[in-house]
Structure formats: structure tokens, C-alpha cells
Amino acid sequence: MTIFHISAECYPIAKVGGLGDVVGALPKYQNKLGETSSVIMPFYDNKFTNTHSFKKVFSGRFNLGRPFAFDILTLVDNTLGYDLYLVHIPGLLYTDYVYSSNDTERFLGFQIAALDWLVQLKEQPDIVHCHDHHTGLIPFMMSQSYAYHKLRSTPSVVTIHNGQYQGWFGHNKIHLIPPFDFSKAGLLDWKKLINPLASAIKCAWKVTTVSPNYMEELTHAANGLEDLLRYERGKCVGILNGIDDKVWDPSTDSDLIKNYSIKTVQAGKKANKDWLCKEFNLDPKLPLFAFIGRLVDEKGADLLPEIFNNSLYHKNLSIMMLGSGDSGVEQQLDRLKQQYAGYYNTYIGYNERLAHILYAAADFLVMPSRVEPCGLNQMYALRYGTVPIVNKVGGLKDTVDDFDNGGFGVLHDGATVQEGSFAIYRAINFYNDTVRFKKNRNLIMKIDHSWDTSAQAYLNLYNSLKL
Ligand SMILES: Nc1ncnc2c1ncn2[C@@H]1O[C@H](COP(=O)(O)OP(=O)(O)O[C@H]2O[C@H](CO)[C@@H](O)[C@H](O)[C@H]2O)[C@@H](O)[C@H]1O
């Protein structure tokens, strides 16, 4: 089967969050299963594109209010485990950032160029797999735009990584979409706006979300799309994300201060913790709690300052926070540093290497998310022998069980300061039960969340769509 994943992010080329991780891993595992799975993504002006060589495979032009020329580039000396195609649109998409405020035109141009290339390929794809709203107009264009008539019978699949963001824009821009039968314009609309995610849910052959529980939640809370998802339920399915167990392997991870396996976890985690605590002025003898992520409401980031303030009262733990986002929350989190010097520190920003070290160094990872479609951090934490403390939502509910209930993590029921603070209090008691805690550490490192099972689940889904 020939599969094309189309996405705004793909690790290690460009990653802002979990979408990049998934698109950078899933095709690799699908290829391992004998398929031909590739990625199409934008050509950004970043470290990866500036330090690798590319070859042109196609050139074209399209009109988006004004004419644009584009190239499709492919990576030379590719060791990624899948073919990579980059859409290079100078003056539109070739930027040193992934997302911005004029994304409508940028990602519309990306989608049009990707389809202009796909439609003229000698061998038509078997599956076009779109990810999130940035590629959400592709199923509509494949089925309705005259120019893509040849792709009309090619199955399209859309995966919702985050239903909060939908890419809405006004009908005054409808003329930017390549011509189609105007009587079908309703397929683009949701609540009087062009809504790429809603359109994808209407037009794709199958809709997936990144955990079964999130699929269920979306029918009650989907930022306005609940009714649509309930109506289209028959073609929706939740498939739990996996993790790239080659990138996220504490025994080979080149970012770590010291590598370790289950056998050497004690010494390995200690070396990483000692380094981190020295670097950030924390006490290595205390249990270390970490947060890694985007500082946005969905992640419960606004709760963190108070949760940390409550938890640091007895000065019997250390906390390290790595993230960026809401500037008010960033300031509040930074301010706590003076009050709790020696016990608390932050790194405001994005730092891939520090994230890896922190998963290895920490004893616990806190995730008080309000919405968590799947969550990868808790799975990375488990693989690195770090106990996740999570709110019982979305994929967190599917992947973590409470230690007081025969499980291995710490669960709380509600994204509130009280629940989050009490969960940390319970976690410290768990940590102090050293024999049980050590046994648990070995156990969680053995949990298999690799992509093997889920990559097969996607293949089964594609096979069900074969004509
Ligand atoms: N400041 C920082 N520095 C370094 N690394 C950082 C960082 N902030 C975040 N990261 C990294 O970004 C990734 C975040 O993954 P999540 O699954 O939590 O993400 P996100 O909410 O972006 O994704 C959405 O898509 C994914 C994939 O489907 C779903 O799992 C998730 O629930 C959904 O919200 C992890 O690899 C994490 O280590």
C-alpha cells in the first residue's frame, strides 16, 4: 500500500509538540510492516533544512489571490525510515516558524501544492492520511475540486490530534479553494465559517483520534463540533498513539548524561538527576517532580503556580518546570523561583535535549491536563522509569492506573489545584515507600507503548477502505 501522511509538523524536521512526534514515527513503523509510507510537509527555514541536502522532484504554480511558484523537494541521504517530501513555497511557507497568525493562506497553499503534485503522479496513492486542521481541506478538495478529479476515489483519512484548534476562516476567502461545484460549499461550512477540521470530519472516509477515550469525550466536548462528531460517529475510531521506542530509549538516548536500562536504572537515573540538580540548583536527595509542555489551559498550566506553591510548603521535594506559552503563567511560574530557591526552578522555552534529560532525571512527571487527546509525555516518562501523575482525561485515562488501585501511576479526578496538590502529596508518600517505589520503577519501564500495535491498527483501518 502507498500511504502519504500530510502534516504541518514531523520530527526531527520541525516539531512544536506531539503532532511532530507522531508523524515522525508512525510512517516508520508502517514501513516496517511492509507498506510504503511517506510524509509530505512544509519546507521551513530551520536548522534541519539548513543542514541537509534536498533534490527537486516537481515544480508547479498555483493561484492564491496572487500567483505562487512551488517545488516539491525530497531529502538526499535519507535515514529517517520513510520518504520525505517537502513543499517549498518561497514567500509563503518558507519561514523560520511553523505556526503564525496568517496560517489560512500558508496552509491552504501547502495543501494545494501537495495535491497538485500527488494528482499528477503516475501511480496514484492508496491512502492520503491528513493530520489536524492544517490539512483538513484536503478531503474536500480531493472529492470536490475539479483539478483533483483523479483522486476522487482515493480514500482519505483524517486524524484529530487536537480538536480545540479548527483553523476557521471567513467565507470571503472561499475563492482561494480550487474551483468546485458551488452547491457543495456546505461541506466546508460549520456555523457560518469555513471550518477545515469540520470539513475534514464531513469529507474524509475515516476519522481517527489519538485515543479511544478522547473519541468518546469529543462527542460531548469538541469546541463546537460535538453534534457533527455524534452525527459522523459511524466513521470515527480512536487509536491510541504509540511512542518511537528508538528515539525514546534510555539505554541509547544520546541526549542523556548517562544511559541506563532496567538493570542499571538506579545509577542511571541518579546520574541524570545529579547533573540536572547541579545545573538548576535543586536538592538531588529529594524526590524530583517535573512538568514538560506547552503552558496553555488545556494542559492545566494555569493551575501549576498554585499547585507548586502548595507542594513546596514543606520543602520536601524539588520541582523543575520546562515549558513556554501563556506569558502570564510563565511570569507566575518564574516568580516562584525566588521564594523557593534551591527547591524549584524553571526553563522557560523549548529545549528538546533538556526534555530528554528531565524525563530521565525526574522521579515524577505532573500532567494536570484539562484536555489530553492522547498525551505522549506520560508514555515517555514510563519508559524512562518516571511515575506519571495525571488527571483522568482523554488518553491519560487510557494509559495510567493509580498505584492505590493495583496500578503504577498517580491519578487524580479533576483538573483543580486541590486535586493536583493532593496527588503530589500522595506521590511523596509513594516515593517514601522505597521498596515498593523501586519495584514499580522496574515495572513501568517494561510497559510496551511502542508503535507496533497501533501502526497495525491504522493498516487495518486503511484495508477496510480498499475498493
Ligand atoms: N518546552 C518544551 N521543550 C522540549 N520539549 C517539549 C516542550 N514542550 C513540549 N515538549 C515535547 O512536545 C511533545 C508534547 O507532546 P504531547 O502529546 O503532550 O503534545 P501536544 O499537546 O503538543 O499534542 C497533541 O497531539 C499529541 C499527538 O497526537 C497528543 O498526544 C496530545 O494529547 C495532543 O494534545 C513531547 O515530545 C514533549 O516532550
Side-chain angles (χ1 to χ4, degrees):
M1 227 184 315
T2 312
I3 306 147
F4 285 97
H5 290 272
I6 312 187
S7 168
E9 297 178 39
C10 175
Y11 176 85
I13 301 96
K15 164 177 163 182
V16 176
L19 170 63
D21 286 342
V22 170
V23 179
L26 175 58
K28 197 166 22 177
Y29 286 77
Q30 291 180 329
N31 286 337
K32 254 174 62 185
L33 292 169
E35 309 300 339
T36 307
S37 188
S38 318
V39 172
I40 307 177
M41 68 174 299
F43 188 75
Y44 300 113
D45 177 9
N46 66 15
K47 191 170 165 210
F48 188 95
T49 58
N50 290 328
T51 53
H52 287 78
S53 306
F54 301 89
K55 190 176 78 194
K56 186 158 72 182
V57 294
F58 182 73
S59 292
R61 317 174 65 73
F62 60 84
N63 208 343
L64 202 69
R66 61 190 171 97
F68 284 97
F70 72 91
D71 292 326
I72 303 290
L73 309 174
T74 189
L75 180 63
V76 178
D77 299 328
N78 186 343
T79 54
L80 295 170
Y82 49 87
D83 285 339
L84 176 71
Y85 298 99
L86 299 116
V87 177
H88 186 24
I89 316 178
L92 188 69
L93 208 51
Y94 185 60
T95 49
D96 59 4
Y97 48 81
V98 174
Y99 303 118
S100 76
S101 53
N102 74 329
D103 282 352
T104 300
E105 277 80 4
R106 292 176 69 232
F107 289 114
L108 198 48
F110 168 55
Q111 295 173 86
I112 292 169
L115 287 180
D116 281 355
W117 174 58
L118 282 182
V119 77
Q120 59 75 54
L121 289 180
K122 251 199 241 116
E123 245 186 76
Q124 294 292 290
D126 293 305
I127 295 287
V128 172
H129 190 149
C130 306
H131 295 267
D132 274 350
H133 73 83
H134 329 99
T135 57
L137 293 172
I138 285 179
F140 174 85
M141 293 195 276
M142 283 171 67
S143 60
Q144 304 301 331
S145 286
Y146 305 124
Y148 309 127
H149 187 264
K150 258 177 79 188
L151 295 170
R152 204 159 274 196
S153 52
T154 302
S156 57
V157 174
V158 64
T159 295
I160 305 174
H161 296 262
N162 195 332
Q164 297 298 108
Y165 307 105
Q166 298 168 9
W168 321 264
F169 58 92
H171 278 276
N172 58 335
K173 291 190 178 173
I174 202 164
H175 63 283
L176 299 180
I177 298 170
F180 56 92
D181 173 356
F182 210 72
S183 69
K184 300 290 168 48
L187 291 170
L188 294 167
D189 180 87
W190 193 250
K191 299 186 178 164
K192 301 201 167 59
L193 287 172
I194 294 179
N195 183 318
L197 190 64
S199 174
I201 295 166
K202 292 180 194 183
C203 300
W205 293 34
K206 283 280 181 190
V207 177
T208 72
T209 60
V210 290
S211 71
N213 190 42
Y214 184 57
M215 183 77 259
E216 201 48 46
E217 287 176 1
L218 279 178
T219 59
H220 308 291
N223 206 6
L225 300 185
E226 304 78 10
D227 289 343
L228 177 61
L229 281 153
R230 272 202 289 268
Y231 181 74
E232 297 285 7
R233 203 178 195 142
K235 66 176 181 188
C236 297
V237 55
I239 299 177
L240 192 69
N241 280 338
I243 62 172
D244 189 327
D245 59 359
K246 302 286 172 296
V247 174
W248 297 94
D249 179 353
S251 68
T252 53
D253 187 335
S254 57
D255 285 331
L256 299 192
I257 302 305
K258 186 178 170 74
N259 290 112
Y260 58 93
S261 62
I262 294 181
K263 275 195 189 136
T264 56
V265 58
Q266 258 346 80
K269 279 186 83 71
K270 184 177 181 308
N272 286 287
K273 185 175 179 178
D274 285 346
W275 180 89
L276 189 110
C277 288
K278 190 156 181 248
E279 196 73 13
F280 290 94
N281 183 32
L282 299 168
D283 184 346
K285 289 190 284 306
L286 297 174
L288 177 62
F289 290 69
F291 174 90
I292 302 171
R294 296 179 294 116
L295 297 175
V296 293
D297 274 5
E298 284 162 63
K299 301 284 179 195
D302 52 308
L303 309 171
L304 291 174
E306 246 191 285
I307 293 177
F308 290 164
N309 190 38
N310 288 341
S311 307
L312 286 159
Y313 178 82
H314 288 292
K315 299 199 167 154
N316 56 355
L317 78 168
S318 295
I319 298 177
M320 179 67 201
M321 194 310 292
L322 164 62
S324 62
D326 183 298
S327 56
V329 175
E330 284 181 1
Q331 280 166 20
Q332 285 182 56
L333 286 167
D334 233 20
R335 237 178 273 134
L336 284 180
K337 284 196 321 203
Q338 290 156 358
Q339 203 176 337
Y340 297 110
Y343 297 91
Y344 170 83
N345 214 332
T346 62
Y347 181 106
I348 305 284
Y350 188 93
N351 188 324
E352 187 79 23
R353 177 164 191 242
L354 184 57
H356 282 244
I357 297 174
L358 198 46
Y359 285 114
D363 298 294
F364 296 95
L365 182 83
V366 292
M367 298 181 74
S369 305
R370 287 193 177 87
V371 181
E372 197 59 87
C374 176
L376 297 169
N377 300 20
Q378 80 280 13
M379 298 198 256
Y380 298 147
L382 292 168
R383 186 136 165 85
Y384 283 63
T386 302
V387 176
I389 303 177
V390 306
N391 183 32
K392 218 163 120 187
V393 285
L396 298 175
K397 193 173 164 195
D398 285 326
T399 51
V400 181
D401 292 321
D402 194 84
F403 73 102
D404 268 341
N405 213 3
F408 48 81
V410 184
L411 272 184
H412 55 91
D413 199 357
T416 62
V417 169
Q418 294 75 10
E419 284 287 338
S421 308
F422 186 54
I424 291 184
Y425 170 83
R426 288 176 59 226
I428 295 173
N429 288 341
F430 185 21
Y431 179 85
N432 289 335
D433 187 349
T434 34
V435 175
R436 187 176 176 197
F437 191 76
K438 274 186 193 160
K439 223 168 125 193
N440 188 65
R441 189 171 257 175
N442 292 357
L443 185 114
I444 60 180
M445 286 182 76
K446 284 189 203 141
I447 300 174
D448 181 8
H449 275 303
S450 83
W451 266 108
D452 294 315
T453 315
S454 301
Q456 184 61 53
Y458 277 108
L459 294 187
N460 296 346
L461 182 96
Y462 302 158
N463 277 320
S464 75
L465 297 176
K466 270 193 181 159
L467 293 173

